[in-house]
Amino acid sequence: MTLVSPAKPIAPPRPPALRRAWRKASPYAYIAPFFTLFAAFGLFPLVYTAFVSLYRVELQTPGDMEWRGLDNYTALFTDEFFWTSLRNTFTIGVLSTVPQLLMALGLAHLLNYRLRGRTFFRTAMLLPYATSVAAATLVFAQLFGRDFGLVNYALGLVGIDPVDWQTGTVASQVAVSSIVVWRWTGYNALIYLAGMQSIPHELYEAAEMDGASRWRQFFHVTLPGLRPTITFTVVVSTIGATQLFGEPLLFEGSVSGGIAHQYQTLGLYLYEQGWGFFHLGRAAAIAWVMFLLILIVVGANALLVRRRSSKEAGR
């Protein structure tokens, strides 16, 4: 006798209207977690910071808010230390970004060729980036010590007098910039290396057949192919320089950026106003000024890239 298993109940077909509604809503359901987190931890702090910047708010009594309108911004623009920190941010940004990207471009060009131990060198490039900001800054603070620092010892070997790296304006900014250069050069070098490997090899073969040397290949093949990558690194490095905080804070351990505020950045100035002087309203205004500066820099860079692309397309 053969046993016949009972047939499984057939689920009723989904109504066409419900199926069409799910097809339309399912993409939004998939991306909803990202936008929920972005609204909670990105958009809301941005809007709330703009709201707080219009009030007088003290850290000890954050619930007591007094309307000030744009007074926080006007007081900010009349503060000489704000302009000092803005100038220092620009100077340190140039001193750290320009050598960093040039060195990264040169290292990536060397690693793009077939070298022995390429994997080792590529891995070693990321070690400074993986190092803690606090550890790296404390080590560099010892290297740039006035009396027993290794840098002054090396300068003394060639007959140069010791430099006070923590007091001098230019010297302290060079010292802080060197920390940024050391930490981020390898990271940008790997980005450039990835961009170089995406350039078709046939272009190099054609240039070599035309008798172009390696230098000509670099300037006429590699650099044009890396233009979008270079734009990306310039924008990211500019944003990082605007937000520079850990290196100048830990270099001497002072939120004022030295005795004469000689290397105080906008990030340090914000921290000093908010958590040093307890003026949360003014700190929020500084944060929004930094945000607007970043938007201006990124927008100007995008405008220059678009004009250059339109000129090249019109040729």
Side-chain angles (χ1 to χ4, degrees):
M1 181 176 180
T2 305
L3 298 177
V4 179
S5 60
K8 296 181 179 179
I10 300 175
R14 183 178 296 178
L18 183 60
R19 187 164 53 248
R20 287 195 300 268
W22 170 248
R23 286 180 180 177
K24 293 181 179 180
S26 58
Y28 299 99
Y30 294 141
I31 64 176
F34 165 77
F35 283 101
T36 302
L37 293 175
F38 173 74
F41 300 102
L43 186 60
F44 173 75
L46 187 66
V47 175
Y48 185 72
T49 302
F51 172 75
V52 172
S53 68
L54 302 177
Y55 287 84
R56 176 188 177 95
V57 186
E58 300 299 323
L59 184 61
Q60 303 94 328
T61 56
D64 298 336
M65 305 178 68
E66 177 185 347
W67 172 260
R68 295 198 63 186
L70 297 178
D71 289 349
N72 283 328
Y73 293 92
T74 56
L76 190 65
F77 294 139
T78 56
D79 187 1
E80 61 175 336
F81 293 119
F82 166 76
W83 296 106
T84 301
S85 62
L86 179 62
R87 183 173 59 252
N88 293 340
T89 301
F90 175 79
T91 306
I92 295 176
V94 172
L95 291 175
S96 60
T97 300
V98 175
Q100 171 194 149
L101 297 183
L102 291 178
M103 292 171 61
L105 192 60
L107 290 173
H109 184 62
L110 292 177
L111 291 176
N112 196 33
Y113 290 98
R114 295 182 178 180
L115 300 175
R116 292 182 178 180
R118 285 186 300 173
T119 304
F120 168 77
F121 289 114
R122 292 175 183 179
T123 305
M125 288 290 179
L126 280 178
L127 290 179
Y129 171 71
T131 305
S132 169
V133 178
T137 306
L138 292 176
V139 170
F140 271 83
Q142 296 299 319
L143 292 176
F144 285 101
R146 184 186 62 180
D147 299 322
F148 304 103
L150 185 60
V151 175
N152 278 340
Y153 174 77
L155 293 177
L157 294 178
V158 295
I160 301 178
D161 295 333
V163 179
D164 193 348
W165 296 101
Q166 293 182 342
T167 303
T169 300
V170 177
S172 60
Q173 292 180 1
V174 169
V176 172
S177 301
S178 65
I179 308 173
V180 182
V181 171
W182 180 81
R183 290 195 68 241
W184 291 95
T185 297
Y187 175 83
N188 288 304
L190 292 183
I191 294 179
Y192 286 148
L193 179 61
M196 290 178 182
Q197 292 180 346
S198 66
I199 300 175
H201 190 66
E202 292 78 6
L203 297 178
Y204 292 100
E205 293 179 351
E208 188 174 357
M209 292 179 61
D210 290 339
S213 62
R214 285 191 174 183
W215 279 107
R216 287 186 175 273
Q217 294 178 25
F218 177 75
F219 284 106
H220 297 285
V221 178
T222 304
L223 286 183
L226 279 181
R227 187 171 299 157
T229 308
I230 293 175
T231 302
F232 170 76
T233 55
V234 168
V235 171
V236 172
S237 299
T238 303
I239 294 174
T242 306
Q243 299 175 340
L244 193 62
F245 175 75
E247 289 84 351
L249 173 64
L250 298 174
F251 183 65
E252 193 183 7
S254 172
V255 296
S256 61
I259 300 175
H261 299 256
Q262 65 267 18
Y263 59 90
Q264 185 183 47
T265 60
L266 286 174
L268 274 184
Y269 181 68
L270 184 154
Y271 185 83
E272 182 185 41
Q273 292 294 323
W275 283 263
F277 300 147
F278 311 123
H279 303 322
L280 292 184
R282 184 173 295 187
I286 300 170
W288 257 88
V289 169
M290 294 172 61
F291 176 69
L292 294 177
L293 286 175
I294 292 175
L295 288 182
I296 292 173
V297 171
V298 173
N301 184 77
L303 182 61
L304 291 175
V305 171
R306 183 176 300 180
R307 285 187 176 180
R308 187 182 184 93
S309 300
S310 61
K311 287 182 179 180
E312 291 181 352
R315 290 179 181 178

